[in-house]
Amino acid sequence: MKKVVKFGGSSLANAEQFKKVGEIIRADEGRRYVVPSAPGRRFSNDTKVTDMLYDCYHRAEEDQDFSDALQNIRDRYDEIINGLGLSLNLDSEFETIAENFRSKIGTDYAASRGEYLNGIVMAEYLGYEFVDAARVVAFDEEGKFDAVRTDKQMGAVLEPLEHAVIPGFYGAKPDGTVETFSRGGSDITGSLVAKAVHADLYENWTDVSGFLMADPRIIKDPVTINTITYREMRELSYMGATVLHEDAVFPLRKEGIPINVRNTNRPQDPGTMVVENTCNKPKYTITGIGGKKGFASITIEKAMMNAEVGFGRKVLEVFEDCGMTFEHTPSGIDTFSVYVNQNEFEKHEQQVIAGLHRSVHPDMIELESDLALIAVVGRGMRRTRGTAGRIFAALAHAHVNVKMIDQGSSELNIIIGVENRDFETAIKAIYDIFVVSRL
Ligand code: ASP
C-alpha cells in the first residue's frame, strides 16, 4: 500500500506532537510521502507559526525592526529540534529568510516558510528526503494554480523516491516566485501528492477523529461519520464543516483515491473514510447535518411569470452584474426567490432592487433577512421512503417554521430554510429523530 500522509499544524505544534507523528509514520511502511503543515497552536491562546510569519513580514514591509518577531519564530523550531534531540542548525535558513524579508520579497513567501522549515525538520527527524514544494507545485504567471504542470513535475520528482517530505501550502510560479494556496491549503498539497504518486490512500491527520454528523457546538458528542462520499462532503463543507480544505477534494475526485481523516492524538480511532463511491450502507439514513446562518431572500412576484421566456436568466443576471453568487432559487408559478449571503447582499441591496425593476418589471419585490440554511445530507436517503416526512414532522414538533425547502435532484440532500433564531433548535430536532431515536 502506498500512502501519502498529511499532518496538520496541531499535530506538529511541538516536539511531543512530532514524536506521535513519528510513531504513526513508522508504524506503517506504506506511509512513504509526508506532507507537513507549519507548527500550529500548542495551547488554546497560542499563535500559529503561519500567523507569526504574517505578522513578522508585515513589520518588515513597514520598515520596522522585525528581529524579535523572527527570533520568536526561530524559538518555535528550536524547541522542536532540541526536544527531538536533532543536531539540525537553521542559522543559514533564518539568515536567508531575514534577507528576503528585508528586500520585501512578498507575503506568500513569508507565510510559506512555516511549512518549508517544518519540512526540513521533519525530513531530518524521519531520515526522509526533503523536496521543496516550490520545485513540484506549479502556479502560472498570474498566480493561478497549474494542475497539469504540477502533476507532471511532482510525478517525475517523487516517483523515484522511496520516501519524501514535501511541505504543504505553497508552490512557485515559473519565475520561482513563491505562491501559497488559501489558508489551510496543506490539505490540497496532500491531495496533489496522492494523485501524482498514484497513492492507494491519502491519510489526513488532524486533531479530531474524523467528520462529525453535526456541529459539536450544537449537538453534544455527535457521532463520527465512518464513511462519506466526496459529493456528500461537498454538500456538508459548503455549509461550514471545515475539517478538510474544500479544494482538497478536486485533485482526487476523478482518481478514486480515498482520504482517511485521522486523529494524531487518538491513532487507535479509525477516523472517517472519504470515498468517491461506496456500497457501504450507512448506519443512519442521513450522513450528516450542516448549516449556516446569515442568508437573505429576495422574492420577485409577477403575474404570468411562467410564460415569460428568459425571466430566470434576467433575474440572475442582476445578481451577476453585482458580482454576487446565489445559493438557491426556489420558485412558484408567479414567484421566483433568490437566496443569497446576507452580508454580500447588504452591500448591493439597492443596486439589486433597481436592477430587478429595470430588467423584469416585477409586480412586487419582497426581502427577508436573518435566515439560516440547513443541509440534511445522505446517500442513504435515496433508498429510504419518508425522509422528508420525518424531517418536517420533527421540525413541526420543535415548533420550527420552515421557510424554504429544496431537495436536490440527486436526492443526496434536503435543504431547509429557517429563521436564524430557529437554527440550533432545528438541527437538534433533525439529529434527534435520525440519530438519537434512530427512527
Ligand atoms: N499553515 C497554513 C495555515 O495556517 C496552511 C495549513 O496549515 O494548511 O493556514
Side-chain angles (χ1 to χ4, degrees):
M1 269 261 230
K2 197 194 282 180
K3 296 182 184 174
V4 171
V5 284
K6 180 257 165 181
F7 291 89
S10 58
S11 302
L12 300 167
N14 54 26
E16 205 183 309
Q17 290 299 90
F18 255 80
K19 285 181 189 160
K20 289 185 195 167
V21 167
E23 254 168 56
I24 290 168
I25 294 171
R26 289 188 196 106
D28 183 342
E29 274 178 23
R31 295 180 174 136
R32 292 174 41 191
Y33 301 99
V34 181
V35 177
S37 284
R41 289 190 195 95
R42 292 160 294 182
F43 37 87
S44 65
N45 56 354
D46 196 15
T47 310
K48 290 177 169 191
V49 164
T50 308
D51 292 315
M52 295 169 85
L53 283 160
Y54 278 122
D55 177 63
C56 178
Y57 184 68
H58 183 67
R59 284 166 203 252
E61 259 188 332
E62 309 257 287
D63 294 316
Q64 291 171 21
D65 176 26
F66 62 85
S67 50
D68 284 354
L70 197 59
Q71 185 57 46
N72 290 340
I73 295 166
R74 169 106 204 228
D75 291 346
R76 290 288 309 262
Y77 288 98
D78 284 343
E79 183 191 317
I80 295 170
I81 291 169
N82 296 334
L84 295 176
L86 302 175
S87 56
L88 184 68
N89 182 316
L90 294 177
D91 278 351
S92 72
E93 294 294 348
F94 272 91
E95 265 161 40
T96 310
I97 292 172
E99 219 169 276
N100 286 330
F101 275 30
R102 270 192 292 275
S103 65
K104 305 194 181 153
I105 187 168
T107 315
D108 281 17
Y109 166 87
S112 76
R113 295 305 88 183
E115 271 71 11
Y116 171 80
L117 293 166
N118 229 17
I120 292 177
V121 177
M122 177 67 93
E124 176 78 15
Y125 179 51
L126 296 172
Y128 283 14
E129 184 128 3
F130 173 75
V131 175
D132 187 351
R135 267 180 75 201
V136 290
V137 178
F139 288 80
D140 67 14
E141 285 82 1
E142 272 82 53
K144 230 178 101 228
F145 172 63
D146 185 338
V148 177
R149 211 152 55 82
T150 299
D151 201 43
K152 234 168 95 192
Q153 286 178 185
M154 209 177 236
V157 174
L158 297 182
E159 282 283 13
L161 300 177
E162 188 58 28
H163 295 110
V165 174
I166 311 98
F169 190 38
Y170 71 95
K173 293 191 202 176
D175 69 357
T177 315
V178 169
E179 279 283 319
T180 60
F181 293 114
S182 57
R183 295 299 303 265
S186 298
D187 286 344
I188 306 172
T189 312
S191 289
L192 297 172
V193 175
K195 178 175 176 347
V197 302
H198 309 293
D200 299 294
L201 183 66
Y202 169 26
E203 288 180 344
N204 189 294
W205 291 82
T206 169
D207 54 7
V208 288
S209 294
F211 288 93
L212 300 172
M213 284 191 75
D215 187 337
R217 287 166 300 187
I218 301 172
I219 306 290
K220 196 169 167 282
D221 297 329
V223 172
T224 304
I225 300 170
N226 56 46
T227 309
I228 186 170
T229 65
Y230 287 144
R231 287 166 72 211
E232 288 175 313
M233 198 190 82
R234 277 285 296 147
E235 298 287 351
L236 287 171
S237 71
Y238 127 89
M239 285 296 202
T242 51
V243 175
L244 205 61
H245 193 297
E246 57 176 342
D247 291 344
V249 170
F250 297 111
L252 295 184
R253 244 194 133 134
K254 288 200 206 99
E255 302 294 310
I257 300 171
I259 307 174
N260 188 195
V261 177
R262 302 280 295 265
N263 188 346
T264 301
N265 304 315
R266 289 186 56 86
Q268 68 276 25
D269 291 349
T272 300
M273 283 298 275
V274 189
V275 296
E276 209 242 299
N277 219 329
T278 177
C279 284
N280 166 295
K281 281 221 175 58
K283 188 163 167 202
Y284 306 99
T285 309
I286 62 167
T287 303
I289 312 165
K292 217 156 126 180
K293 289 182 184 177
F295 292 94
S297 73
I298 300 96
T299 300
I300 301 131
E301 211 177 301
K302 188 180 183 189
M304 302 303 288
M305 166 193 295
N306 67 328
E308 198 175 318
V309 176
F311 191 90
R313 178 184 51 76
K314 286 184 212 155
V315 168
L316 295 178
E317 227 163 42
V318 172
F319 290 89
E320 187 182 346
D321 290 345
C322 296
M324 287 176 66
T325 54
F326 65 91
E327 301 292 329
H328 297 282
T329 54
S331 62
I333 187 117
D334 282 337
T335 60
F336 188 91
S337 301
V338 185
Y339 274 68
V340 292
N341 175 296
Q342 186 169 337
N343 287 338
E344 267 306 289
F345 179 61
E346 277 166 7
K347 287 187 232 152
H348 302 285
E349 185 187 68
Q350 297 309 314
Q351 201 183 339
V352 169
I353 294 173
L356 289 172
H357 277 291
R358 254 195 310 269
S359 105
V360 293
H361 312 291
D363 297 333
M364 197 171 77
I365 297 176
E366 210 174 271
L367 304 180
E368 210 167 336
S369 54
D370 300 323
L371 300 173
L373 292 173
I374 297 167
V376 185
V377 176
R379 59 190 183 280
M381 292 190 328
R382 204 162 29 185
R383 267 174 270 116
T384 323
R385 259 177 298 129
T387 312
R390 276 177 286 167
I391 293 174
F392 298 115
L395 293 176
H397 278 121
H399 305 287
V400 172
N401 179 31
V402 175
K403 313 226 40 129
M404 191 274 286
I405 306 164
D406 189 352
Q407 172 165 18
S409 43
S410 57
E411 285 183 67
L412 193 69
N413 61 0
I414 296 178
I415 311 273
I416 301 145
V418 299
E419 285 178 35
N420 273 351
R421 62 186 165 130
D422 287 333
F423 181 66
E424 285 83 6
T425 315
I427 290 186
K428 277 192 195 121
I430 298 168
Y431 185 85
D432 222 62
I433 198 100
F434 288 105
V435 185
V436 182
S437 334
R438 236 178 130 177
L439 286 173

